[in-house]
Amino acid sequence: MTLTRDLDSTTAALDPLGADAVMRALPQANIAADTTWLRTRAEHLSRHAASIRDAAPARAALRDLGMITASLARHTGHPVPPPAVQAAMLRLGAAADEVPRETVYSYATRNPRGPRRRSFTDTPGEHVFIDEVTAASHALDDAIRHCSGLPAAADRNTADALAAVVHERLRDFAARLLTVKRTLTPHYFTGLLRPYYPPLEIDGRTYYAPGGAQMPLLVLDVVILSQAATGELAAWYEQYVTDNVLYLPPHHRALVDAGRRTPGLARLAHRRPHLRPAAALLIDDLLRFRLPHRQLARANMAVRADGSLGSGGYTTSALDHLLDVTDSARALLSPGSPL
């Protein structure tokens, strides 16, 4: 199975636009709200994008050009990039086989460590944020690798062994996000970082900024929860997956697309009792993450203006619905529950 860690470490090492010096200067330009500098550098880097054809350099270029463009949008309040920048982002997105802007993968797992680190503010809190989201994503990547084998597990011992690894990786994932919660106060995140995650309008379409809905957890969700909900909740979940799967890299999109066509682990476990302990363990892990995540999101929304959206374009009601979907999956594990 393709591992994000390997692909993204290759991308992190690349500087196809020759942007290292520009990206080191980005936090100072943001402090000064220097829109002239931001626009000029974005347009200059866009000219270097014309010769990029391969996926890894295109993803590295989108990382850098996307962060500068997001900074420009943050300070101007204008979501449409300059024409030359927009054209470059479209070309890079096509070469990368991804959306034409930076994603949570760009900001975290494809972000270099050390002096080449890309950041909006160069503050300690932002570096903790990047480091912990990167580590959380790596834990999820390994969880996906093991969880993908669960539906085919022929006996309880095999299923339980796979689930135990996924459980440990999910605990690591949750611990990383707990560090973020303890380090970044709602006022710090909402006041300083959140403005650098604006939606961008590219070629007439809105693309949302890096956010939690774009993390590899979406892949695990589909593997475990696919076809667990019914009625309006199922329709909502299908639309949620559709809205967010496009922000994933191709290998994760392929796993989601395959998972949506088949029953998830919870529904399979309804008919295959040997899978129920494994499914119950992982569903409980999802619930243990989602409840404090909703609490954190509500705390952040409480210091924002009424009607504000998260970086992924959602209100906290989306987290309510995700909890309902997860509860639906848990209910399927009862032997007497209807299919």
Side-chain angles (χ1 to χ4, degrees):
M1 178 178 290
T2 301
L3 289 178
T4 304
R5 181 194 293 263
D6 299 336
L7 290 176
D8 286 358
S9 64
T10 298
T11 300
L14 300 177
D15 180 24
L17 300 180
D20 277 354
V22 172
M23 299 308 291
R24 281 194 296 272
L26 178 62
Q28 190 60 43
N30 280 327
I31 291 172
D34 191 341
T35 56
T36 299
W37 186 94
L38 290 165
R39 184 179 292 104
T40 301
R41 297 308 184 279
E43 291 175 340
H44 175 74
L45 293 180
S46 294
R47 292 195 287 272
H48 291 281
S51 61
I52 296 175
R53 299 288 183 271
D54 295 332
R59 291 166 187 164
L62 277 172
R63 173 196 64 208
D64 297 343
L65 189 56
M67 290 184 70
I68 293 175
T69 304
S71 297
L72 180 63
R74 179 260 185 272
H75 293 297
T76 63
H78 189 52
V80 181
V85 177
Q86 189 171 175
M89 294 174 86
L90 285 167
R91 286 196 301 271
L92 291 169
D97 190 18
E98 296 187 9
V99 294
R101 71 165 298 176
E102 82 286 9
T103 65
V104 73
Y105 296 79
S106 313
Y107 188 58
T109 54
R110 298 173 186 169
N111 200 337
R113 298 180 67 87
R116 292 188 60 239
R117 163 66 55 82
R118 277 72 166 128
S119 75
F120 293 110
T121 67
D122 196 27
T123 55
E126 186 179 10
H127 289 297
V128 169
F129 188 47
I130 294 169
D131 287 339
E132 296 302 319
V133 172
T134 298
S137 297
H138 287 160
L140 289 173
D141 199 35
D142 199 39
I144 290 166
R145 183 164 64 94
H146 288 83
C147 194
S148 296
L150 269 168
D155 56 72
R156 178 170 174 176
N157 286 341
T158 303
D160 287 355
L162 288 169
V165 177
V166 179
H167 170 69
E168 289 303 316
R169 300 302 180 268
L170 285 174
R171 288 184 62 182
D172 186 19
F173 160 71
R176 298 293 181 172
L177 296 191
L178 181 59
T179 299
V180 171
K181 178 182 177 182
R182 289 172 172 169
T183 305
L184 277 64
T185 67
H187 286 280
Y188 170 88
F189 184 81
T190 291
L192 187 64
L193 287 186
R194 173 64 184 85
Y196 290 102
Y197 312 134
L200 295 178
E201 293 181 18
I202 299 173
D203 197 27
R205 181 172 181 177
T206 297
Y207 292 94
Y208 289 101
Q214 298 176 14
M215 289 190 71
L217 184 64
L218 183 63
V219 183
L220 278 178
D221 266 355
V222 171
V223 172
I224 297 170
L225 306 179
S226 179
Q227 302 180 23
T230 58
E232 292 183 2
L233 184 61
W236 178 89
Y237 185 65
E238 279 301 304
Q239 188 60 53
Y240 173 84
V241 174
T242 297
D243 290 344
N244 289 291
V245 68
L246 73 158
Y247 295 96
L248 305 185
H251 62 287
H252 280 170
R253 292 203 307 268
L255 290 172
V256 170
D257 291 343
R260 295 173 80 177
R261 296 192 296 267
T262 59
L265 181 63
R267 187 158 285 280
L268 288 174
H270 180 88
R271 300 193 300 265
R272 303 176 190 175
H274 71 279
L275 294 176
R276 286 178 193 162
L281 177 67
L282 302 186
I283 291 167
D284 286 348
D285 285 333
L286 292 178
L287 290 170
R288 274 193 295 270
F289 159 70
R290 289 213 154 106
L291 288 166
H293 182 210
R294 181 174 64 178
Q295 181 183 20
L296 176 62
R298 286 175 173 173
N300 276 284
M301 287 299 184
V303 299
R304 300 179 192 174
D306 290 345
S308 295
L309 301 177
S311 57
Y314 294 100
T315 66
T316 56
S317 65
L319 299 178
D320 297 334
H321 294 325
L322 286 172
L323 276 165
D324 290 341
V325 173
T326 311
D327 283 333
S328 297
R330 191 69 174 85
L332 282 172
L333 302 184
S334 172
S337 67
L339 279 174

